[in-house]
Amino acid sequence: MVEKVITLDNVSLIDFLGVENHTIKEVAAAFPMSKIISRGNEIRIKGTTPEISRISDILDSLMDHYQKYGKITQENVQNYINHSGHLINGNGTVPPVPPNDDEVLVYGTRGIVVRARTENQKRLVEAAEKYDLVFAIGPAGTGKTYTAVAVAVRALKNKEVKKIIITRPAVEAGENLGFLPGDLKEKIDPYLRPIYDALDDMIPAEKLKFYTENRIIEIAPLAYMRGRTLNNAFILLDEAQNTTSMQMKMFLTRMGPTSKAIITGDRSQIDLPNRQKSGLVESVEILKNIKGIAFVELDGSDVVRHRLVREIISAYDEAGK
């Protein structure tokens, strides 16, 4: 008998192990000649070398599945157990279990399945796959920010990028940051709340905490981007209608050779003072003829909030507001 210890890092133990360690119990039931014990974030396997190798392959595959889809079901466990005896390349690798829905962007927390829900949201996803720089422009409630965050999280889970950087200008809608209580972070966080809410839907709390503490996911005001070169990253600029011309140029020139970026904004919600020209509006005009940049327009038909939001947007459009 030999023993192997597997350490579970950066996972929600309850999500991975299941209620009362159900995941481990299912694997153990398939290998009655071996002993599998789960304690804290460690799994100890005792048995023969061939069985330990198969169990380790199954657990590694379940880990990869969890990292990609954010959850493990009983069916997933059985699929990996059933496939564990079939080697696809002679090196002991367990064939991956394909997702049930090719349109799923992220299997999120609390059973949430994130996918593009409208035609223009699908266009945004397709554009992000094809182009390194995408502008997504549309009114409130069209899902442009949420979809962009999901595309970035999928890229991180698929190891297409090493980090996600999400930023937005700290421009107040009728308020002044100087009068808000707290330090700079506490003043800025309310403006980044929609980003945190989206990430909470898509990444388990323990893992999100690890990502943010280790700067794998970075959320910061646009001013913090100055002077940086962002390599091997997925970069999101939200509320871009509130950038100045200089801020937009600064952001666009931060992209490294292995980066991708999505810029989202709403032309109808410009909060810049003194009728200052929006960097978003200006950049669309300046960059419209550059190959390799995609522009996706979302409209009232893409609104996925309360049904009244679509009608409110239409009423304001008719009023020219």
Side-chain angles (χ1 to χ4, degrees), residues 90-119:
N91 66 359
T93 302
V94 181
V97 178
N100 295 325
D101 189 342
D102 291 336
E103 295 184 351
V104 172
L105 294 173
V106 178
Y107 289 92
T109 59
R110 303 180 299 279
I112 294 173
V113 177
V114 182
R115 57 164 63 86
R117 296 171 60 183
T118 70
E119 287 304 313

Side-chain angles (χ1 to χ4, degrees), residues 61-79:
S61 296
L62 286 170
M63 278 289 294
D64 289 342
H65 184 99
Y66 173 81
Q67 297 286 355
K68 187 171 184 179
Y69 302 115
K71 67 175 183 177
I72 294 176
T73 66
Q74 183 177 355
E75 182 182 3
N76 297 147
V77 178
Q78 286 301 321
N79 281 337

Side-chain angles (χ1 to χ4, degrees), residues 34-50:
S34 298
K35 188 174 183 179
I36 307 176
I37 302 171
S38 173
R39 289 179 180 171
N41 69 334
E42 287 188 349
I43 299 175
R44 294 182 177 272
I45 311 168
K46 294 182 180 180
T48 63
T49 299

Side-chain angles (χ1 to χ4, degrees), residues 3 14 46 85 156 179 186 189 235-236 260 306 308:
E3 181 179 72
I14 185 62
K46 294 182 180 180
L156 182 65
F179 291 101
E186 291 170 330
D189 272 357
I235 316 159
L236 305 182
K260 296 176 76 73
H306 193 286
L308 287 176

Side-chain angles (χ1 to χ4, degrees), residues 10 83 111-112 151 183 205 217 240 258 286 290 293 310 316 321:
N10 311 325
H83 282 95
I112 294 173
V151 170
D183 58 20
I217 293 180
T258 55
I286 292 174
I290 295 182
I293 301 177
R310 183 182 292 113
Y316 270 86
K321 301 295 185 180

Side-chain angles (χ1 to χ4, degrees), residues 85 168 199 281:
R168 66 193 305 186
L199 290 171
V281 174

